[in-house]
Amino acid sequence: MKEILFLEPVFTHNIWGGTKLRDEFGYPVEGDDIGECWGIAAHEHGDCSVKEGTYKGKTLSSLWTSNPELFGNYKSKRFPLLTKIIDAKADLSIQVHPDDAYASSHENGSYGKMECWYILDCKEDATIVIGHNAKTKEELADMIHGGRWKDFIREIPIRKGDFLQIDPGTVHAIKGGTLILESQQNSDITYRVYDYDRLSNGKPRELHIEQSIDVITVPAKEIGDSVRHTDDVPKNCMYELIACQYYRIFQMDVDGAMEFEQKYPFLLASVVEGSGTIDGHPVKKGDHMILCNGYGKATIEGQLKIIASTPV
Ligand code: ZN
């Protein structure tokens, strides 16, 4: 089936959001607090609809149920992945996600959340919060209950093009000035550990201290195991950045033309830089799409960067 589902993104407004999703990606959305563009999503908090073609106007969640053949009859009750672009103008709260087992028993059968970040842009000398410095669960609880955030939080330098895998149980946060593409399990379950003592509408936002202490992995993964630079990724090929139990992520830096085989149950693709065509169809930065099951050979032309993913 040579079907590409082009999707209409859904946006969220957040206290830490900015204007880059409109100014740099051209999305028609108002406000100066645009935090997230859910580019490929079939979630109760954001369900993208198909822009054009046979399935125009249908939501991704309804297509998942009505036309499973488009997705290779992939065995999952819900659409398994979610792709977002996040513009953090201010620091995001420090958070952690549960795994499937914890989410399923404590959050009404929800999925846990494994996610990964591709850094689309950041300030010079930017950092990101990933991991923590507690050696034992006891020290973890002490640091959190005692508000010893400086001791607790591990911050590491990042640059444009870095790729980070964030396992459930990993403390993480994006700092202001960072723009990322996030690929994740289709879940919204987040436990907020610390919010820099900020107020939202005059009140601090809710924290989830006990759940966080429950799910945070101790000790944290080594820094070197968390970040991958992508300067050396070859052009004009489908280059795998990671494969884990939930997804595989690919980078495609097209300079001229490339061909690849869409042999997966289905492939999520987001254009994050430049413009060109996919099998003659014009695409540009900010476009999100799904190449359906059985798509086969595809040709991409132009100068563009695509981040693609497929469930495992
Ligand atoms: Zn997260």
Side-chain angles (χ1 to χ4, degrees):
M1 223 171 316
K2 277 265 173 197
E3 189 80 40
I4 303 182
L5 306 173
F6 287 93
L7 297 167
E8 200 74 69
V10 175
F11 299 89
T12 69
H13 295 267
N14 306 77
I15 49 167
W16 44 261
T19 58
K20 284 184 186 168
L21 291 170
R22 178 178 59 242
D23 298 345
E24 292 180 20
F25 282 82
Y27 295 126
V29 51
E30 301 200 355
D32 55 9
D33 61 347
I34 314 158
E36 299 185 346
C37 162
W38 291 28
I40 306 175
H43 190 275
E44 56 185 344
H45 297 147
D47 201 354
C48 299
S49 49
V50 179
K51 268 186 189 172
E52 56 186 67
T54 320
Y55 304 102
K56 186 177 175 178
K58 279 236 186 190
T59 61
L60 187 51
S61 66
S62 69
L63 268 187
W64 182 256
T65 312
S66 65
N67 294 71
E69 74 285 358
L70 294 174
F71 310 99
N73 298 299
Y74 184 85
K75 286 212 179 348
S76 170
K77 219 172 125 198
R78 284 156 282 184
F79 188 83
L81 300 178
L82 202 164
T83 305
K84 303 175 175 177
I85 300 174
I86 302 177
D87 172 24
K89 188 176 170 191
D91 296 349
L92 264 71
S93 60
I94 298 190
Q95 45 187 253
V96 61
H97 306 295
D99 61 13
D100 282 344
Y102 191 93
S104 161
S105 59
H106 294 79
E107 304 288 349
N108 263 323
S110 174
Y111 290 143
K113 189 171 168 190
M114 174 93 79
E115 68 188 33
C116 59
W117 293 345
Y118 190 92
I119 309 292
L120 297 175
D121 199 13
C122 62
K123 293 181 191 159
E124 225 179 293
D125 304 319
T127 61
I128 212 153
V129 172
I130 186 160
H132 62 82
N133 297 313
K135 309 250 173 341
T136 62
K137 272 274 176 191
E138 201 183 3
E139 190 182 11
L140 175 85
D142 273 2
M143 283 175 161
I144 292 176
H145 287 307
R148 290 161 53 205
W149 306 116
K150 277 224 146 56
D151 297 334
F152 175 63
I153 293 161
R154 188 170 75 188
E155 250 181 82
I156 60 161
I158 47 154
R159 59 180 198 250
K160 191 173 165 174
D162 280 354
F163 177 77
L164 298 93
Q165 169 79 341
I166 298 162
D167 297 336
T170 304
V171 174
H172 61 283
I174 307 165
K175 309 281 280 183
T178 311
L179 188 72
I180 67 165
L181 180 113
E182 177 174 288
S183 306
Q184 55 163 102
Q185 277 183 278
N186 185 7
S187 162
D188 215 11
I189 309 289
T190 295
Y191 300 136
R192 199 177 285 135
V193 190
Y194 176 52
D195 197 27
Y196 302 98
D197 304 313
R198 289 181 292 196
L199 301 179
S200 171
N201 299 322
K203 282 181 279 180
R205 293 196 294 173
E206 191 194 354
L207 299 177
H208 314 93
I209 298 295
E210 292 317 313
Q211 293 98 318
S212 297
I213 293 172
D214 275 353
V215 306
I216 291 172
T217 306
V218 185
K221 203 156 98 173
E222 293 292 320
I223 292 175
D225 297 337
S226 303
V227 188
R228 188 202 188 292
H229 304 306
T230 63
D231 315 68
D232 56 344
V233 166
K235 286 189 191 314
N236 297 324
C237 72
M238 194 169 179
Y239 186 87
E240 187 175 87
L241 292 171
I242 200 160
C244 68
Q245 64 196 108
Y246 297 106
Y247 48 70
R248 296 172 71 180
I249 308 289
F250 306 95
Q251 176 173 343
M252 292 187 251
D253 284 342
V254 187
D255 180 11
M258 67 168 271
E259 265 186 21
F260 71 99
E261 186 78 17
Q262 197 316 68
K263 58 186 178 190
Y264 305 99
F266 54 101
L267 187 75
L268 293 70
S270 299
V271 182
V272 295
E273 259 177 45
S275 62
T277 57
I278 296 185
D279 289 330
H281 199 298
V283 293
K284 59 176 194 314
K285 175 173 169 173
D287 285 346
H288 302 271
M289 67 209 81
I290 297 172
L291 278 67
C292 292
N293 187 249
Y295 191 91
K297 201 182 81 173
T299 304
I300 310 181
E301 292 179 298
Q303 306 286 330
L304 62 160
K305 182 194 287 285
I306 291 175
I307 302 297
S309 57
T310 190
V312 168

